[in-house]
Amino acid sequence: MDVPIAANVLGTIGAVCWSVQLIPQIIVNYRRHNTEGLQPSMMLLWATAGVPLGVYNIVEEFNVALRIQPQILTFLSLVTWAQCFYYGKKRSLMACITAVVPLLITLGGIEVGLIYALQAAKDRDIQWPIILMAVLSACLLAAGVLRHYWDIYVHHTVRGISFIFIAIDAAGDLFSLVSVLFEPSIDILGMVIYGTELVLWIGIMVCGGVFNFLPWITEKLKKDEREEPVSLHEMPSSTSVFRTASQSVVRRVPHQ
């Protein structure tokens, strides 16, 4: 289905979602000065996944929004990864910057090199390198989310991760997935990349409902049942409230 306008609009919406997806998580980390429960390995895996995903989207000539999308993913993932070290490992700000900047430059250089290499392979009708990029990006994105599944299994709760971030990211995956359907030819690998992560996020949201929301509702209902109904204090009798004049007069005994 070749509908360029729909592909660009949906891809842009997906890119916007991915542009802001990690911002709620970054804000939550900043406000609580804590990243407990948030997996640094997930952020590093996502930052790395942005490289093959960016290569794939650019070489396959997806719409502009989908080409920019992976670059934003890598950058925000590294910012969040730095927060894990700053708040979780108590590293200095300079140490975090020193770790992030060289890694960002290295990943960018690798992506540029792979784009030229895979473009040359595509011109020679060699398909396996681009397929490898698609599979690698899907695996890295999935591995990042699966890291939280293990944490959920261990602690029986969804912790450290913003549900707003999850919802926005899932929306970004959904819009990006649909935008691929409106490209000149349906790209199965592109659908697998976005569809895999979308399914995993839905699973996280279900776990949040089971381990976080339902216990909260149950506890709230029990708390309401334990609360005693408000009782009215017994009002004083009318004789103690409204005194007659005779009751208010103090009798004095006359002096002899």
Side-chain angles (χ1 to χ4, degrees):
M1 185 183 298
D2 186 4
V3 187
I5 295 177
N8 278 286
V9 169
L10 292 170
T12 300
I13 295 174
V16 169
C17 289
W18 269 32
S19 298
V20 301
Q21 61 172 338
L22 277 169
I23 293 177
Q25 185 67 55
I26 292 171
I27 293 174
V28 167
N29 296 341
Y30 172 76
R31 286 181 175 175
R32 69 185 181 184
H33 298 288
N34 194 322
T35 56
E36 183 180 358
L38 182 63
Q39 307 302 315
S41 56
M42 171 186 172
M43 295 296 102
L44 192 57
L45 286 167
W46 273 21
T48 307
V51 173
L53 181 59
V55 172
Y56 182 79
N57 288 0
I58 292 172
V59 174
E60 287 295 282
E61 299 180 351
F62 283 176
N63 58 75
V64 175
L66 290 181
R67 299 185 196 188
I68 298 173
Q69 197 179 66
Q71 324 311 324
I72 298 172
L73 171 66
T74 295
F75 175 74
L76 291 180
S77 296
L78 286 178
V79 171
T80 313
W81 180 68
Q83 282 188 314
C84 292
F85 279 90
Y86 184 74
Y87 294 121
K89 303 294 185 180
K90 307 300 181 183
R91 302 290 176 81
S92 66
L93 179 61
M94 185 54 64
C96 294
I97 294 174
T98 303
V100 167
V101 172
L103 186 55
L104 186 61
I105 294 173
T106 301
L107 291 175
I110 292 173
E111 182 175 345
V112 171
L114 285 173
I115 289 171
Y116 282 107
L118 268 71
Q119 187 64 60
K122 184 179 180 181
D123 293 340
R124 297 179 182 179
D125 200 25
I126 302 174
Q127 295 297 321
W128 70 263
I130 194 66
I131 295 175
L132 177 62
M133 291 296 102
V135 172
L136 185 59
S137 60
C139 290
L140 289 171
L141 289 170
V145 183
L146 285 171
R147 181 64 184 84
H148 265 286
Y149 275 90
W150 175 254
D151 190 75
I152 293 170
Y153 173 76
V154 172
H155 297 280
H156 299 286
T157 185
V158 180
R159 64 192 191 113
I161 192 167
S162 168
F163 283 97
I164 298 177
F165 151 57
I166 294 175
I168 294 174
D169 193 6
D173 289 324
L174 179 60
F175 282 112
S176 299
L177 176 63
V178 176
S179 75
V180 173
L181 297 176
F182 290 96
E183 294 290 343
S185 60
I186 295 179
D187 191 286
I188 301 300
L189 290 175
M191 295 178 64
V192 169
I193 293 172
Y194 296 109
T196 300
E197 192 185 41
L198 176 61
V199 170
L200 290 175
W201 279 135
I202 292 174
I204 294 285
M205 287 188 280
V206 171
C207 290
V210 173
F211 292 113
N212 294 59
F213 185 68
L214 287 181
W216 178 79
I217 289 292
T218 303
E219 183 62 28
K220 183 176 176 59
L221 292 176
K222 289 181 179 179
K223 183 179 179 181
D224 291 340
E225 291 177 357
R226 287 196 300 265
E227 289 180 354
E228 296 181 359
V230 179
S231 58
L232 296 176
H233 293 289
E234 184 179 357
M235 297 298 293
S237 64
S238 59
T239 56
S240 61
V241 177
F242 301 101
R243 297 189 178 187
T244 61
S246 60
Q247 290 174 319
S248 301
V249 175
V250 179
R251 295 180 180 275
R252 295 180 180 274
V253 179
H255 294 287
Q256 298 295 333

